[in-house]
Amino acid sequence: MNTKEIVNKFEDVTNHYLHELEGFTMEQLLQKPSEEEWSLGQMYLHLIQSARYFQLGSIEKCRQGGPAVTEAGTEKSEIGQTIFAQGSLPPIRVKVPASPEYTPAQPESKEQLRDGLISVLTQMKELEPTLDEIPAHHTVAHPAFGSMTAKEWFAVVEMHYRHHLLQLNRLKG
């Protein structure tokens, strides 16, 4: 897995999101197509928060070891094996029941979104050179993909951003 290439792809997709963000008004970012669907702003916050707290957090758990880490012997799920074989998440809409833990709040400003995207990109660039130091037998379970190494969690950040380009295009109509 070429982590430098992942960072380059991640920078490209982040720049795409930043470019798109500039073209939206705050009103457009807050508009929801329906009560059950997220606004563009919520989608942006979902990407930022998922990367910061879930994906990059799981990399730190891999680094530190301890109770959240499963040692070698646990498996990736079938969908986990598929996404890594294809290098992307499936192009399907994933509906999760609305909940305070999962549904992002509406953004407060475009600056909040811009700063969040840039912050995640900076973290990815800083983290990349340290990934080889994290033991590959330290894995953290993903609810759908099964046990993943730090490098696999790193790749999922970029895959997740790419996956949401479909939603971005749908929401901007």
Side-chain angles (χ1 to χ4, degrees), residues 31-32 65 80 84 105 107 168:
Q31 185 177 348
K32 293 173 67 167
F84 286 104
L168 173 70

PDB file of all heavy atoms in Angstrom, residues 31-32 65 80 84 105 107 168:
ATOM      1  N   GLN A  31     -29.249  23.883   3.064  1.00  0.00           N
ATOM      2  CA  GLN A  31     -30.477  23.357   2.466  1.00  0.00           C
ATOM      3  C   GLN A  31     -30.474  21.822   2.451  1.00  0.00           C
ATOM      4  O   GLN A  31     -29.528  21.201   1.987  1.00  0.00           O
ATOM      5  CB  GLN A  31     -30.615  23.889   1.039  1.00  0.00           C
ATOM      6  CG  GLN A  31     -31.901  23.511   0.374  1.00  0.00           C
ATOM      7  CD  GLN A  31     -32.007  24.127  -1.016  1.00  0.00           C
ATOM      8  OE1 GLN A  31     -31.230  25.006  -1.385  1.00  0.00           O
ATOM      9  NE2 GLN A  31     -32.959  23.663  -1.790  1.00  0.00           N
ATOM     10  N   LYS A  32     -31.571  21.252   2.963  1.00  0.00           N
ATOM     11  CA  LYS A  32     -31.715  19.795   2.971  1.00  0.00           C
ATOM     12  C   LYS A  32     -32.742  19.386   1.918  1.00  0.00           C
ATOM     13  O   LYS A  32     -33.816  19.970   1.859  1.00  0.00           O
ATOM     14  CB  LYS A  32     -32.187  19.314   4.352  1.00  0.00           C
ATOM     15  CG  LYS A  32     -31.159  19.515   5.446  1.00  0.00           C
ATOM     16  CD  LYS A  32     -31.696  19.205   6.827  1.00  0.00           C
ATOM     17  CE  LYS A  32     -31.995  17.738   6.954  1.00  0.00           C
ATOM     18  NZ  LYS A  32     -32.222  17.307   8.341  1.00  0.00           N
ATOM     19  N   GLY A  65      -1.724   0.557  20.815  1.00  0.00           N
ATOM     20  CA  GLY A  65      -2.018  -0.785  21.310  1.00  0.00           C
ATOM     21  C   GLY A  65      -3.044  -0.678  22.429  1.00  0.00           C
ATOM     22  O   GLY A  65      -3.713   0.330  22.563  1.00  0.00           O
ATOM     23  N   GLY A  80     -14.940  -5.720   3.615  1.00  0.00           N
ATOM     24  CA  GLY A  80     -13.620  -5.138   3.850  1.00  0.00           C
ATOM     25  C   GLY A  80     -12.607  -5.642   2.840  1.00  0.00           C
ATOM     26  O   GLY A  80     -11.813  -4.869   2.289  1.00  0.00           O
ATOM     27  N   PHE A  84     -10.732  -3.165  -0.271  1.00  0.00           N
ATOM     28  CA  PHE A  84      -9.282  -3.049  -0.442  1.00  0.00           C
ATOM     29  C   PHE A  84      -8.823  -3.651  -1.766  1.00  0.00           C
ATOM     30  O   PHE A  84      -7.880  -3.163  -2.372  1.00  0.00           O
ATOM     31  CB  PHE A  84      -8.540  -3.623   0.764  1.00  0.00           C
ATOM     32  CG  PHE A  84      -8.641  -2.704   1.950  1.00  0.00           C
ATOM     33  CD1 PHE A  84      -9.494  -3.006   2.994  1.00  0.00           C
ATOM     34  CD2 PHE A  84      -7.941  -1.512   1.989  1.00  0.00           C
ATOM     35  CE1 PHE A  84      -9.631  -2.142   4.065  1.00  0.00           C
ATOM     36  CE2 PHE A  84      -8.070  -0.635   3.053  1.00  0.00           C
ATOM     37  CZ  PHE A  84      -8.919  -0.950   4.098  1.00  0.00           C
ATOM     38  N   ALA A 105     -24.343  18.034  12.897  1.00  0.00           N
ATOM     39  CA  ALA A 105     -25.080  19.290  13.023  1.00  0.00           C
ATOM     40  C   ALA A 105     -24.897  20.081  11.731  1.00  0.00           C
ATOM     41  O   ALA A 105     -24.050  19.749  10.899  1.00  0.00           O
ATOM     42  CB  ALA A 105     -24.533  20.089  14.200  1.00  0.00           C
ATOM     43  N   PRO A 107     -23.463  23.181   9.710  1.00  0.00           N
ATOM     44  CA  PRO A 107     -22.237  23.955   9.932  1.00  0.00           C
ATOM     45  C   PRO A 107     -22.562  25.377  10.377  1.00  0.00           C
ATOM     46  O   PRO A 107     -23.637  25.902  10.078  1.00  0.00           O
ATOM     47  CB  PRO A 107     -21.569  23.952   8.562  1.00  0.00           C
ATOM     48  CG  PRO A 107     -22.695  23.792   7.595  1.00  0.00           C
ATOM     49  CD  PRO A 107     -23.706  22.923   8.288  1.00  0.00           C
ATOM     50  N   LEU A 168     -22.071  14.655  -3.058  1.00  0.00           N
ATOM     51  CA  LEU A 168     -21.831  16.066  -3.385  1.00  0.00           C
ATOM     52  C   LEU A 168     -22.496  16.415  -4.709  1.00  0.00           C
ATOM     53  O   LEU A 168     -23.226  17.401  -4.815  1.00  0.00           O
ATOM     54  CB  LEU A 168     -20.317  16.347  -3.447  1.00  0.00           C
ATOM     55  CG  LEU A 168     -19.905  17.730  -3.948  1.00  0.00           C
ATOM     56  CD1 LEU A 168     -20.252  18.807  -2.936  1.00  0.00           C
ATOM     57  CD2 LEU A 168     -18.416  17.761  -4.247  1.00  0.00           C
TER      58      LEU A 168
END
